[in-house]
Amino acid sequence: MSVHDDLSSMQRSLDELTRTVARLEQRLGGGGLEVRRVRTDADHLRESVALLRAAEAAPDAPKRPDLVPIPDTPYDGSLWTDSDDEGLGARDRRAP
């Protein structure tokens, strides 16, 4: 089966689940916590299937940018001559 066929089958099953939950709500009453949980879970499943359908129908995701390699060699020490130590301030002044 293709992904589209699987999603369609899933949608049909969810439709049947929704109808069954509605019948249970009529018989048991909609005020019970258990029935509301089942209805909420079925709604979450419906939303998840809709997201899967949208992801399947969407064109290829945008290409991730190329990674920039960071060398393992130490940086040149002269890069840090005028820098402040984080949290300590400048080298020639006293920390607050």
Side-chain angles (χ1 to χ4, degrees), residues 1-12 49 52-54 56-57:
M1 289 180 98
S2 69
V3 172
H4 179 72
D5 293 339
D6 287 339
L7 288 173
S8 296
S9 173
M10 202 172 188
Q11 186 67 50
R12 285 190 299 274
V49 170
L52 285 172
R53 279 185 179 277
E56 191 255 337

PDB file of all heavy atoms in Angstrom, residues 1-12 49 52-54 56-57:
ATOM      1  N   MET A   1       0.831  -1.180   0.000  1.00  0.00           N
ATOM      2  CA  MET A   1       0.000   0.000   0.000  1.00  0.00           C
ATOM      3  C   MET A   1       0.882   1.252   0.000  1.00  0.00           C
ATOM      4  O   MET A   1       1.923   1.287   0.628  1.00  0.00           O
ATOM      5  CB  MET A   1      -0.884   0.055   1.239  1.00  0.00           C
ATOM      6  CG  MET A   1      -2.014  -0.942   1.281  1.00  0.00           C
ATOM      7  SD  MET A   1      -2.955  -0.770   2.794  1.00  0.00           S
ATOM      8  CE  MET A   1      -4.299   0.231   2.216  1.00  0.00           C
ATOM      9  N   SER A   2       0.407   2.282  -0.641  1.00  0.00           N
ATOM     10  CA  SER A   2       1.130   3.543  -0.639  1.00  0.00           C
ATOM     11  C   SER A   2       0.767   4.340   0.618  1.00  0.00           C
ATOM     12  O   SER A   2      -0.175   4.009   1.339  1.00  0.00           O
ATOM     13  CB  SER A   2       0.777   4.351  -1.890  1.00  0.00           C
ATOM     14  OG  SER A   2      -0.563   4.801  -1.805  1.00  0.00           O
ATOM     15  N   VAL A   3       1.500   5.371   0.859  1.00  0.00           N
ATOM     16  CA  VAL A   3       1.229   6.225   2.014  1.00  0.00           C
ATOM     17  C   VAL A   3      -0.155   6.839   1.891  1.00  0.00           C
ATOM     18  O   VAL A   3      -0.913   6.917   2.875  1.00  0.00           O
ATOM     19  CB  VAL A   3       2.315   7.325   2.138  1.00  0.00           C
ATOM     20  CG1 VAL A   3       1.957   8.332   3.209  1.00  0.00           C
ATOM     21  CG2 VAL A   3       3.673   6.714   2.403  1.00  0.00           C
ATOM     22  N   HIS A   4      -0.524   7.251   0.690  1.00  0.00           N
ATOM     23  CA  HIS A   4      -1.847   7.835   0.467  1.00  0.00           C
ATOM     24  C   HIS A   4      -2.953   6.828   0.802  1.00  0.00           C
ATOM     25  O   HIS A   4      -3.951   7.189   1.444  1.00  0.00           O
ATOM     26  CB  HIS A   4      -1.970   8.309  -0.988  1.00  0.00           C
ATOM     27  CG  HIS A   4      -3.303   8.891  -1.303  1.00  0.00           C
ATOM     28  ND1 HIS A   4      -3.706  10.120  -0.819  1.00  0.00           N
ATOM     29  CD2 HIS A   4      -4.339   8.412  -2.034  1.00  0.00           C
ATOM     30  CE1 HIS A   4      -4.929  10.368  -1.241  1.00  0.00           C
ATOM     31  NE2 HIS A   4      -5.328   9.348  -1.987  1.00  0.00           N
ATOM     32  N   ASP A   5      -2.775   5.583   0.395  1.00  0.00           N
ATOM     33  CA  ASP A   5      -3.762   4.542   0.697  1.00  0.00           C
ATOM     34  C   ASP A   5      -3.850   4.298   2.202  1.00  0.00           C
ATOM     35  O   ASP A   5      -4.949   4.138   2.750  1.00  0.00           O
ATOM     36  CB  ASP A   5      -3.413   3.237  -0.019  1.00  0.00           C
ATOM     37  CG  ASP A   5      -3.528   3.350  -1.524  1.00  0.00           C
ATOM     38  OD1 ASP A   5      -4.233   4.259  -2.013  1.00  0.00           O
ATOM     39  OD2 ASP A   5      -2.902   2.521  -2.218  1.00  0.00           O
ATOM     40  N   ASP A   6      -2.703   4.272   2.862  1.00  0.00           N
ATOM     41  CA  ASP A   6      -2.699   4.072   4.316  1.00  0.00           C
ATOM     42  C   ASP A   6      -3.392   5.219   5.033  1.00  0.00           C
ATOM     43  O   ASP A   6      -4.164   5.003   5.979  1.00  0.00           O
ATOM     44  CB  ASP A   6      -1.265   3.936   4.830  1.00  0.00           C
ATOM     45  CG  ASP A   6      -0.630   2.601   4.477  1.00  0.00           C
ATOM     46  OD1 ASP A   6      -1.387   1.650   4.208  1.00  0.00           O
ATOM     47  OD2 ASP A   6       0.607   2.513   4.481  1.00  0.00           O
ATOM     48  N   LEU A   7      -3.142   6.442   4.595  1.00  0.00           N
ATOM     49  CA  LEU A   7      -3.789   7.595   5.219  1.00  0.00           C
ATOM     50  C   LEU A   7      -5.296   7.590   4.969  1.00  0.00           C
ATOM     51  O   LEU A   7      -6.089   7.942   5.858  1.00  0.00           O
ATOM     52  CB  LEU A   7      -3.166   8.894   4.714  1.00  0.00           C
ATOM     53  CG  LEU A   7      -1.762   9.197   5.228  1.00  0.00           C
ATOM     54  CD1 LEU A   7      -1.179  10.411   4.524  1.00  0.00           C
ATOM     55  CD2 LEU A   7      -1.767   9.407   6.725  1.00  0.00           C
ATOM     56  N   SER A   8      -5.698   7.164   3.793  1.00  0.00           N
ATOM     57  CA  SER A   8      -7.136   7.079   3.495  1.00  0.00           C
ATOM     58  C   SER A   8      -7.804   6.021   4.360  1.00  0.00           C
ATOM     59  O   SER A   8      -8.907   6.233   4.889  1.00  0.00           O
ATOM     60  CB  SER A   8      -7.357   6.765   2.018  1.00  0.00           C
ATOM     61  OG  SER A   8      -6.877   7.810   1.216  1.00  0.00           O
ATOM     62  N   SER A   9      -7.144   4.886   4.520  1.00  0.00           N
ATOM     63  CA  SER A   9      -7.671   3.831   5.380  1.00  0.00           C
ATOM     64  C   SER A   9      -7.761   4.320   6.825  1.00  0.00           C
ATOM     65  O   SER A   9      -8.745   4.062   7.532  1.00  0.00           O
ATOM     66  CB  SER A   9      -6.770   2.603   5.285  1.00  0.00           C
ATOM     67  OG  SER A   9      -7.157   1.629   6.203  1.00  0.00           O
ATOM     68  N   MET A  10      -6.758   5.018   7.250  1.00  0.00           N
ATOM     69  CA  MET A  10      -6.746   5.572   8.600  1.00  0.00           C
ATOM     70  C   MET A  10      -7.896   6.567   8.785  1.00  0.00           C
ATOM     71  O   MET A  10      -8.560   6.581   9.823  1.00  0.00           O
ATOM     72  CB  MET A  10      -5.405   6.254   8.823  1.00  0.00           C
ATOM     73  CG  MET A  10      -4.987   6.436  10.218  1.00  0.00           C
ATOM     74  SD  MET A  10      -3.279   7.036  10.116  1.00  0.00           S
ATOM     75  CE  MET A  10      -2.866   6.974  11.801  1.00  0.00           C
ATOM     76  N   GLN A  11      -8.134   7.387   7.786  1.00  0.00           N
ATOM     77  CA  GLN A  11      -9.208   8.374   7.852  1.00  0.00           C
ATOM     78  C   GLN A  11     -10.569   7.692   7.955  1.00  0.00           C
ATOM     79  O   GLN A  11     -11.418   8.108   8.734  1.00  0.00           O
ATOM     80  CB  GLN A  11      -9.161   9.292   6.624  1.00  0.00           C
ATOM     81  CG  GLN A  11     -10.154  10.425   6.676  1.00  0.00           C
ATOM     82  CD  GLN A  11      -9.827  11.404   7.776  1.00  0.00           C
ATOM     83  OE1 GLN A  11      -8.693  11.851   7.873  1.00  0.00           O
ATOM     84  NE2 GLN A  11     -10.790  11.740   8.596  1.00  0.00           N
ATOM     85  N   ARG A  12     -10.767   6.627   7.185  1.00  0.00           N
ATOM     86  CA  ARG A  12     -12.035   5.888   7.261  1.00  0.00           C
ATOM     87  C   ARG A  12     -12.225   5.289   8.649  1.00  0.00           C
ATOM     88  O   ARG A  12     -13.323   5.337   9.218  1.00  0.00           O
ATOM     89  CB  ARG A  12     -12.079   4.797   6.186  1.00  0.00           C
ATOM     90  CG  ARG A  12     -12.322   5.322   4.787  1.00  0.00           C
ATOM     91  CD  ARG A  12     -12.606   4.190   3.809  1.00  0.00           C
ATOM     92  NE  ARG A  12     -11.493   3.249   3.707  1.00  0.00           N
ATOM     93  CZ  ARG A  12     -10.455   3.395   2.886  1.00  0.00           C
ATOM     94  NH1 ARG A  12     -10.376   4.449   2.091  1.00  0.00           N
ATOM     95  NH2 ARG A  12      -9.502   2.493   2.856  1.00  0.00           N
ATOM     96  N   VAL A  49      -3.790  13.003  11.834  1.00  0.00           N
ATOM     97  CA  VAL A  49      -3.906  12.468  10.467  1.00  0.00           C
ATOM     98  C   VAL A  49      -3.951  13.614   9.461  1.00  0.00           C
ATOM     99  O   VAL A  49      -3.343  13.527   8.390  1.00  0.00           O
ATOM    100  CB  VAL A  49      -5.146  11.553  10.344  1.00  0.00           C
ATOM    101  CG1 VAL A  49      -5.423  11.193   8.901  1.00  0.00           C
ATOM    102  CG2 VAL A  49      -4.936  10.297  11.164  1.00  0.00           C
ATOM    103  N   LEU A  52      -0.463  14.694   8.957  1.00  0.00           N
ATOM    104  CA  LEU A  52       0.257  13.726   8.118  1.00  0.00           C
ATOM    105  C   LEU A  52      -0.123  13.882   6.651  1.00  0.00           C
ATOM    106  O   LEU A  52       0.735  13.811   5.773  1.00  0.00           O
ATOM    107  CB  LEU A  52      -0.036  12.303   8.589  1.00  0.00           C
ATOM    108  CG  LEU A  52       0.650  11.855   9.865  1.00  0.00           C
ATOM    109  CD1 LEU A  52       0.109  10.492  10.300  1.00  0.00           C
ATOM    110  CD2 LEU A  52       2.147  11.789   9.668  1.00  0.00           C
ATOM    111  N   ARG A  53      -1.402  14.093   6.400  1.00  0.00           N
ATOM    112  CA  ARG A  53      -1.852  14.300   5.012  1.00  0.00           C
ATOM    113  C   ARG A  53      -1.210  15.548   4.419  1.00  0.00           C
ATOM    114  O   ARG A  53      -0.777  15.552   3.269  1.00  0.00           O
ATOM    115  CB  ARG A  53      -3.366  14.428   4.943  1.00  0.00           C
ATOM    116  CG  ARG A  53      -4.110  13.140   4.961  1.00  0.00           C
ATOM    117  CD  ARG A  53      -5.607  13.423   4.757  1.00  0.00           C
ATOM    118  NE  ARG A  53      -6.355  12.209   4.738  1.00  0.00           N
ATOM    119  CZ  ARG A  53      -6.504  11.431   3.654  1.00  0.00           C
ATOM    120  NH1 ARG A  53      -5.969  11.761   2.532  1.00  0.00           N
ATOM    121  NH2 ARG A  53      -7.209  10.324   3.736  1.00  0.00           N
ATOM    122  N   ALA A  54      -1.163  16.624   5.207  1.00  0.00           N
ATOM    123  CA  ALA A  54      -0.570  17.868   4.717  1.00  0.00           C
ATOM    124  C   ALA A  54       0.927  17.690   4.451  1.00  0.00           C
ATOM    125  O   ALA A  54       1.449  18.194   3.460  1.00  0.00           O
ATOM    126  CB  ALA A  54      -0.798  18.986   5.734  1.00  0.00           C
ATOM    127  N   GLU A  56       2.405  14.895   3.690  1.00  0.00           N
ATOM    128  CA  GLU A  56       2.571  13.995   2.548  1.00  0.00           C
ATOM    129  C   GLU A  56       2.284  14.731   1.246  1.00  0.00           C
ATOM    130  O   GLU A  56       2.924  14.494   0.229  1.00  0.00           O
ATOM    131  CB  GLU A  56       1.636  12.803   2.713  1.00  0.00           C
ATOM    132  CG  GLU A  56       1.887  11.678   1.737  1.00  0.00           C
ATOM    133  CD  GLU A  56       0.835  11.636   0.639  1.00  0.00           C
ATOM    134  OE1 GLU A  56      -0.253  12.140   0.822  1.00  0.00           O
ATOM    135  OE2 GLU A  56       1.158  11.058  -0.419  1.00  0.00           O
ATOM    136  N   ALA A  57       1.339  15.669   1.278  1.00  0.00           N
ATOM    137  CA  ALA A  57       0.957  16.384   0.064  1.00  0.00           C
ATOM    138  C   ALA A  57       1.903  17.541  -0.246  1.00  0.00           C
ATOM    139  O   ALA A  57       1.958  18.002  -1.387  1.00  0.00           O
ATOM    140  CB  ALA A  57      -0.468  16.910   0.200  1.00  0.00           C
TER     141      ALA A  57
END
